[in-house]
Structure formats: structure tokens, C-alpha cells
Amino acid sequence: MKKPFHLMAKPTSFECNLDCDYCFYLEKERFFKAGKPRQKAQKPFVGMSDEVLRAYVKNYIAANEMLESIEFAWQGGEPTMAGIDFFKRALQYQQKFANGKTITNALQTNGLLLNDEWCEFLAKNQFLVGLSIDGPEAMHDHYRVTNAGKGTFARIMKSVECMQKHGVQFNTLTTLNDRNIEHPLEVYNFLKGIGSQFMQFIPIVEQVQVEVENPMLIVPQLESKKQLTPFSADGDKFGRFMVAIFDEWVRKDVGRIFVQAFDNALAAWYGEEPPLCIHRKECGQSLVIERNGDVFSCDHYVYPEYRLGNVLDDKLPKLVESKKQQKFGQHKAWVGQKCANCDWRFACNGGCPKHRIHPNPDGSMQNHLCAGYQRMFAHFDPYMKYMANELLAQRPPATVMYVADQIATRVKASQPVCD
């Protein structure tokens, strides 16, 4: 049986109504030149053509014949710039080609365009909305600004109120950068306060070319002199951020607030391979389709070198199972001796290849977030063991909240006393 795969769509490509310094996708304009530059985009914005949309929906459903439920994920750029009518056509094609399968939709948005019309549409059609928000106003507005350099926090808060008014199901995606990474509990409690019950925390790790004209953010595999960007997250600070949130969550919010990193870790401690691609042994099953139909190996590898084909010309299973994509996914498994001997290999598996930017003596590349992952997993360990045992006993892991302080006391007592 063929393996299922996920194909995330970029219906507006790099086009966005924000100009975030840390965004790795804005510069894709250099590869996809169709239309005017994003600063001069016309309204309504013309994104993925109807021909590409139809081919994407039809072929994606057909290629995952082994699944009873198919999820369509729409990201950008800013996907709402494609307009409501675009998504209405997507729903029509989904219904036409569903062939008895359950179809769901997820939309990742910066929220700027969400209004009553949008929220009514999203609620009616049961879209799961991922809202990109970096924390309280000062933290959010430092990087998440419009093309005119203005903060967006106030407008996003109105979008949150609009989603709540119409009953739109939403979660939050928070990038961790050099600013908000110093304030874990402030960020976490803020997100809870706006009603987020499912949170993703994505550390920014970006490198930029140096000594070239018009430098780009690049992946480590590309041969070019490069350096880490100043807005990137420090590895150890990332670990401290997640530990601080975990200590709050494990005492108050288990079963009520869901944090992707914690759910992913629990799966690993339970004996399953982590579901998140960055912590699986191999990757390659999460691809991306651009607005012109081009299919790439991964959202973070939309570069000419990683183009697999086009949905108008190629069958999707052929692209997913191609030698090029198989090699891409299998390459992740080689983590080098340091990672191979790590106690937390089962939960981490070296992290995302994009974040492996520091050379090891054996020729492998170390993940920039390694110190943070080690801190996280070592701290999680006794609590995850308890929750995994509760699951094995068919009891809810939320019972860990009643014993979290006891676990912490035992851990502290077992640590050596230093003079």
C-alpha cells in the first residue's frame, strides 16, 4: 500500500499584506515572477488559477485513496488574499471529487482580512483557522508589520473577536524570535487569554547570504557563505521557553490546552514515532504546491533545486515516490554520531534538516536548537513517563496535574548537590 502524504497549498505564493523581517517566504518572488511585485498587488488578488486548483483538488484526493479523510491546508504568503470566491470554488471541487471521503480544510492566516463575511464563510464550512500571532502587542508588532511598517496587533484582536462572534474554530501559531523568546509565561498566558486552546511554537532559525548583492535567506545545503540572522531564536533560550511553559501547563492545563510540542513528545514517550515531521526519523511526506502548480519537497525547501514537477503535467504519487523525493526524506535519517548517541534521539531524531547548520567533526551537521531540545526533553522526561503509563493503563494523562509537584520534588531530590 502506498504511504499517504500531505500536500499543502500556497494559493497566493509569496504575496502577503505583511512585511515580516523573519518571513522566509516573501523572497520567493525571485522564483515566481508572475504578476506585479507584492507591494503593488492588485485587488482582488489573482492567485492560483482555476485549472491548477481543479487539478490539485482532484489529484490530491485520488492519490490518497487509502485515507478516509483528506485535509487541505492553505497557507501563504497570505492565502485570504486569494478571496472568498477562490475558496468557494475549492469547496465545489472538493465536493465533486470527494468520492465518499470526508474533506476538511485548514487555513493559516495573519488575520488582517478577516471580517464578518470571511468569518461567516469559515464557520459555515468548518474551516480550522490557524492565526499567526507572536504574543502581546509589543512583541507581536516588533516584526509583524504591514508593508508600510505599521503594527498589526489591534487589527488582529478585532479578527479574534470576529472569529469568536461567528464561532470560527481557531488555534494559534507563534514564531519564537529574539524578542518574545525571553517572555514565555507572558506569551503563553496571553494566548490562553484570547481563547487559544491549541498552540504551536515555531522557533525562527534562518541564515542569510553574505558578501552578495541582494542576499537571500537560504537553507544550509546551498553552497554559499552565510550567517545566522539576528532575529533567529537562540537554541538554549528556546529550551528554557518551552520548559517554562511546560511547567505551567503540566500543573494547570493538561487536557484543556494542547501544545503541539508536548503532544508530539508524549507520542514519543508512549512508544510511537513522533507525528511532527521535524522529529520523525525520515521526512518527505509533507510537500507543498505553489500557485502555478509546481510541487516542491517541503515548505522550507521551495527552491529550484527541490522542484519535483507540476500537478498539470505529473501524477502526484509519481512525484512523492520519485528517487529525488525519497532521497530528500531519507537524508534526514543521517544525524551523525553525536545525535545517534543522544538519550533523546527517540523523541528528536535530529530535528528539521533546515536547522542543522553547525558542522560536526564526522561531517554531519548539528541542529541549531540542539541545546534547547536536550533541555526540553530532559525536563519533560519524568512527567512524560507518568503520562505514558497513564495512557497504557487507559487513564487520562491529565492526572499528571495532581502529582506534578511530587514529581518535581523527586527529581530535585535525586539531583547531586554541588558545592
Side-chain angles (χ1 to χ4, degrees):
M1 179 182 293
K2 298 177 181 178
K3 291 183 179 180
F5 65 93
H6 190 258
L7 184 60
M8 180 175 66
K10 301 274 191 177
T12 60
S13 187
F14 56 84
E15 301 280 2
C16 191
N17 45 12
L18 291 190
D19 191 19
C20 309
D21 285 347
Y22 59 61
C23 181
F24 66 92
Y25 219 81
L26 291 179
E27 63 188 17
K28 303 306 178 188
E29 181 177 11
R30 302 189 190 189
F31 305 135
F32 304 102
K33 294 291 186 179
K36 298 182 178 181
R38 59 187 174 86
Q39 291 89 344
K40 301 179 182 179
Q42 300 296 304
K43 296 181 181 180
F45 173 74
V46 179
M48 181 180 284
S49 71
D50 194 69
E51 181 186 20
V52 172
L53 174 62
R54 186 182 189 278
Y56 164 49
V57 173
K58 179 181 179 180
N59 294 326
Y60 182 44
I61 294 174
N64 280 301
E65 59 184 359
M66 73 294 294
L67 298 178
E68 295 181 359
S69 178
I70 309 289
E71 181 193 63
F72 284 81
W74 310 92
Q75 292 197 15
E78 175 48 43
T80 58
M81 290 176 67
I84 290 179
D85 287 344
F86 171 85
F87 288 99
K88 287 180 178 178
R89 293 198 304 275
L91 293 174
Q92 291 170 355
Y93 286 133
Q94 289 173 357
Q95 184 178 17
K96 180 176 181 179
F97 299 118
N99 194 26
K101 298 182 184 298
T102 299
I103 306 295
T104 61
N105 287 276
L107 177 76
Q108 188 65 41
T109 177
N110 60 37
L112 257 65
L113 297 182
L114 297 187
N115 53 22
D116 285 330
E117 183 184 11
W118 263 109
C119 290
E120 287 174 4
F121 169 79
L122 296 170
K124 178 182 177 181
N125 294 288
Q126 299 180 315
F127 274 66
L128 173 61
V129 174
L131 181 69
S132 298
I133 186 166
D134 284 354
E137 185 169 8
M139 299 179 206
H140 178 88
D141 279 351
H142 186 80
Y143 288 118
R144 299 192 66 79
V145 297
T146 66
N147 292 321
K150 296 182 179 180
T152 58
F153 181 83
R155 292 171 64 180
I156 302 306
M157 289 301 97
K158 290 182 178 179
S159 296
V160 170
E161 292 176 4
C162 192
M163 286 193 290
Q164 292 171 336
K165 171 185 172 182
H166 292 280
V168 176
Q169 184 182 2
F170 76 95
N171 55 40
T172 53
L173 185 155
T174 301
T175 62
L176 299 182
N177 51 66
D178 63 317
R179 296 285 173 162
N180 60 2
I181 205 167
E182 303 278 4
H183 308 281
L185 293 184
E186 189 175 351
V187 171
Y188 180 67
N189 288 321
F190 165 79
L191 296 175
K192 286 203 301 182
I194 66 171
S196 177
Q197 294 181 311
F198 186 94
M199 305 176 187
Q200 297 181 63
F201 295 99
I202 310 297
I204 297 293
V205 180
E206 296 290 351
Q207 296 183 103
V208 66
Q209 293 171 306
V210 297
E211 299 180 0
V212 297
E213 188 177 357
N214 298 320
M216 292 182 66
L217 301 179
I218 56 175
V219 294
Q221 289 80 358
L222 297 183
E223 295 295 330
S224 178
K225 188 173 182 181
K226 47 194 176 287
Q227 65 184 21
L228 197 68
T229 59
F231 47 73
S232 293
D234 174 81
D236 189 58
K237 288 181 180 180
F238 165 61
R240 292 178 184 276
F241 182 100
M242 296 307 298
V243 164
I245 288 178
F246 182 84
D247 282 346
E248 181 80 359
W249 174 83
V250 82
R251 288 167 172 79
K252 299 178 180 179
D253 296 325
V254 182
R256 188 174 67 89
I257 302 295
F258 299 88
V259 178
Q260 185 187 54
F262 304 160
D263 291 345
N264 192 72
L266 182 55
W269 262 264
Y270 187 63
E272 299 178 351
E273 187 172 15
L276 194 60
C277 63
I278 64 173
H279 292 311
R280 296 181 71 86
K281 292 178 182 178
E282 296 183 1
C283 58
Q285 298 303 115
S286 297
L287 298 86
V288 64
I289 180 170
E290 256 288 339
R291 68 177 174 189
N292 66 354
D294 283 350
V295 177
F296 292 84
S297 294
C298 170
D299 180 30
H300 289 281
Y301 286 80
V302 179
Y303 296 92
E305 296 88 340
Y306 298 94
R307 181 184 179 275
L308 301 173
N310 189 287
V311 73
L312 297 178
D313 304 318
D314 306 289
K315 297 292 185 181
L316 290 177
K318 177 184 176 182
L319 301 182
V320 178
E321 297 163 12
S322 67
K323 290 183 179 179
K324 185 175 183 178
Q325 184 64 2
Q326 294 301 306
K327 182 179 179 180
F328 174 84
Q330 292 166 2
H331 180 73
K332 184 181 187 299
W334 188 59
V335 295
Q337 199 62 38
K338 183 177 180 180
C339 277
N341 294 333
C342 179
D343 290 339
W344 315 117
R345 167 74 185 277
F346 74 98
C348 179
N349 285 310
C352 181
K354 182 187 176 184
H355 298 162
R356 300 176 185 177
I357 63 176
H358 303 297
N360 287 321
D362 62 1
S364 64
M365 299 294 284
Q366 198 68 27
N367 196 304
H368 176 71
L369 302 171
C370 180
Y373 285 137
Q374 292 191 52
R375 180 180 293 278
M376 283 168 50
F377 295 135
H379 187 82
F380 294 175
D381 183 54
Y383 306 93
M384 289 295 172
K385 285 178 177 175
Y386 179 91
M387 287 190 281
N389 286 332
E390 290 294 274
L391 285 172
L392 288 170
Q394 298 184 332
R395 294 189 295 265
T399 57
V400 70
M401 291 187 290
Y402 301 111
V403 298
D405 287 335
Q406 298 175 31
I407 293 174
T409 300
R410 287 201 303 267
V411 171
K412 186 175 181 180
S414 66
Q415 294 175 344
V417 177
C418 300
D419 295 331

